[in-house]
Amino acid sequence: MVSATDDESLTARVAAGEIAAFTMLYERYAQRMYAWCVHSLGPGRAEDAVQEIFLRLWQAAAQFDPERGRFVTWFYAIARHHVLRELRRAGARRRMEVAAEIAEVLSAPQADPEALAGARDDATSLARALRLLPEEQRQVLAMAYFGGLSQSQIAAELAVPLGTVKKRVRLGMVKLRAALLPPGPAVGVAEPCANAETTP
Amino acid sequence: MDHAEAHDQLGAYALGALEPGEAGALREHLARCGECRADLATFEHVTDELPSALAVASPLRVHPSLQRRIVAGVRPRPVRRLLPRPWLLPAVAALAIVLFLASSLYALSLRQQLAQGEVLRQQSLDKVRTRLSQPDQYRVLEVLDSTMTNRCVLRSVDPEHPAAYGKLWTRGDDADVVVMVNRLPQPAPGQRYVLTLTTADGRTVSPGELRVDRDGFAMLLFAADRRGPEYRSAVVTLDGAPLVRWTETGETR
């Protein structure tokens, strides 16, 4: 039975104007949004950005269609669009700096895993897997997701062949995915070892 | 794009790291490949958790006061009751009846046109939902629904297909551009619909091919080379022959 407090149900209640549901979603996602915004936009703009993202959630909740995907995918798309739009104003160099800073944060030991309200095992598993990734794979994933750069742009910025970037992205994502799979027999793509990367 | 190539690109697609052309080709493959759709879901699970992983790794914590500020910001304003003075009530009631009748007649006369327009809008919305990923749907929504949105209407210039039309949306503070074209004739094998734009500084750019579905609908979402792109003209051609066109002297609002 689906709980009435799952993200999707709460979003339907937010669409109906229910402040309590909105508050529950805020408590569930505020820390994630803040960490994202503060590392991307800096402490001076992070709170305003979080406020704008949650305001957009309030305004757009009725447009969320649970049959098309999960709430978290939709909400992070809103957040990412907002953060990247702000970042683009700061220029390409700043996007690179942000991606590098986030890659560094992701490489450090976890600050306080218990501090994230509602943190699921998946988040801590993924944080651990990111920390264990080879630096060059963690770097391109951060540049793509948090910096909003395409593989071609990453290749140009790093001055490496596009094929190398594609390989780093693919290997990195396969490893992260493996970290989220339940324990059991290996399935899917065979995963080369971390040091197997070669430049095509 | 063949299966092996598509399969290799799924992680990059989930990250939003493909070029628009690559993403479009992958979406076409996804529409017909259940295996890749299932694999994509596993990669999207990764991207769904990336901000959470960053929050776990980050030592920075959100200040509790932000919650009060944000919740206060979205609290709906209470509806004010505007009660007229008692001696005005009969006049207000009469005025309300007149306005109601007038608006009903007006609504009746517009209903047919609006219904037709609504059907077309709903069809376009359905196309957006079925053809784009949720992140791209959101990009489209952000361009179409803002106070800084500009819309240009492309009208048919082909007497044989007068119903063909299109719209181009830009946004003053964003680089994303959305183009939708409808009621296009089906291209013959080997023929291609191409969108060509003339920028405000006189350059000609071609963001790509418009792939028409069986209903004659085509859509393109791309990022311009700057925020708030401005264009002088937009034209959709079929093998070089213009079908629909907009110029800055035409309709735009």
Side-chain angles (χ1 to χ4, degrees), chain A residues 23 27 31-32 39 48 51 56 63 68 70 73 76 78 80 85 115 120 122 150-152 177, chain B residues 15 17 19 42 45 48-49 52 58 60-62 67 69 129 132 134 137-138 141-142 171:
Chain A
T23 303
E27 289 169 350
Q31 180 56 41
R32 297 159 218 224
H39 288 292
D48 283 348
Q51 182 169 17
R56 192 67 182 136
Q63 291 157 9
R68 293 279 300 154
R70 301 197 306 158
T73 308
Y76 283 170
I78 290 176
R80 186 165 182 262
R85 194 167 64 216
R120 288 166 294 187
D122 283 352
S150 69
Q151 293 180 122
S152 307
R177 179 175 67 170
Chain B
L15 283 167
E19 297 294 339
T42 64
H45 187 191
D48 284 351
E49 293 295 339
S52 301
S58 172
L60 303 174
R61 296 285 165 252
V62 63
Q67 179 171 354
R69 189 174 120 196
R129 281 183 173 157
L132 296 183
Q134 281 220 334
Q137 285 179 42
Y138 188 73
L141 175 70
E142 283 287 284
R171 180 172 163 152

Side-chain angles (χ1 to χ4, degrees), chain B residues 43-120:
Chain B
F43 284 119
E44 285 179 338
H45 187 191
V46 172
T47 51
D48 284 351
E49 293 295 339
L50 280 174
S52 301
L54 176 62
V56 167
S58 172
L60 303 174
R61 296 285 165 252
V62 63
H63 196 280
S65 65
L66 185 59
Q67 179 171 354
R68 285 193 297 277
R69 189 174 120 196
I70 289 178
V71 173
V74 302
R75 192 176 295 279
R77 292 178 183 171
V79 179
R80 288 173 57 198
R81 288 177 173 273
L82 294 173
L83 288 176
R85 297 178 184 190
W87 57 271
L88 272 177
L89 281 174
V92 169
L95 183 61
I97 290 169
V98 169
L99 287 175
F100 174 76
L101 289 174
S103 64
S104 297
L105 288 171
Y106 183 64
L108 201 62
S109 70
L110 287 178
R111 183 171 293 169
Q112 194 167 0
Q113 295 175 49
L114 289 173
Q116 189 180 6
E118 185 57 35
V119 167
L120 287 171

Side-chain angles (χ1 to χ4, degrees), chain A residues 80-147:
Chain A
R80 186 165 182 262
H81 187 86
H82 183 86
V83 171
L84 291 181
R85 194 167 64 216
E86 294 291 308
L87 261 185
R88 287 190 181 107
R89 288 178 181 156
R93 179 171 293 276
R94 179 62 194 143
R95 289 162 75 187
M96 290 293 294
E97 290 170 355
V98 162
E101 183 191 319
I102 288 177
E104 192 174 335
V105 171
L106 292 171
S107 71
Q110 291 170 20
D112 181 8
E114 301 303 317
L116 177 59
R120 288 166 294 187
D121 289 344
D122 283 352
T124 49
S125 298
L126 193 66
R128 190 180 310 114
L130 279 160
R131 197 169 67 248
L132 297 175
L133 277 185
E135 184 181 348
E136 65 271 15
Q137 291 174 17
R138 186 168 50 244
Q139 178 189 38
V140 294
L141 298 186
M143 289 172 79
Y145 189 81
F146 293 107

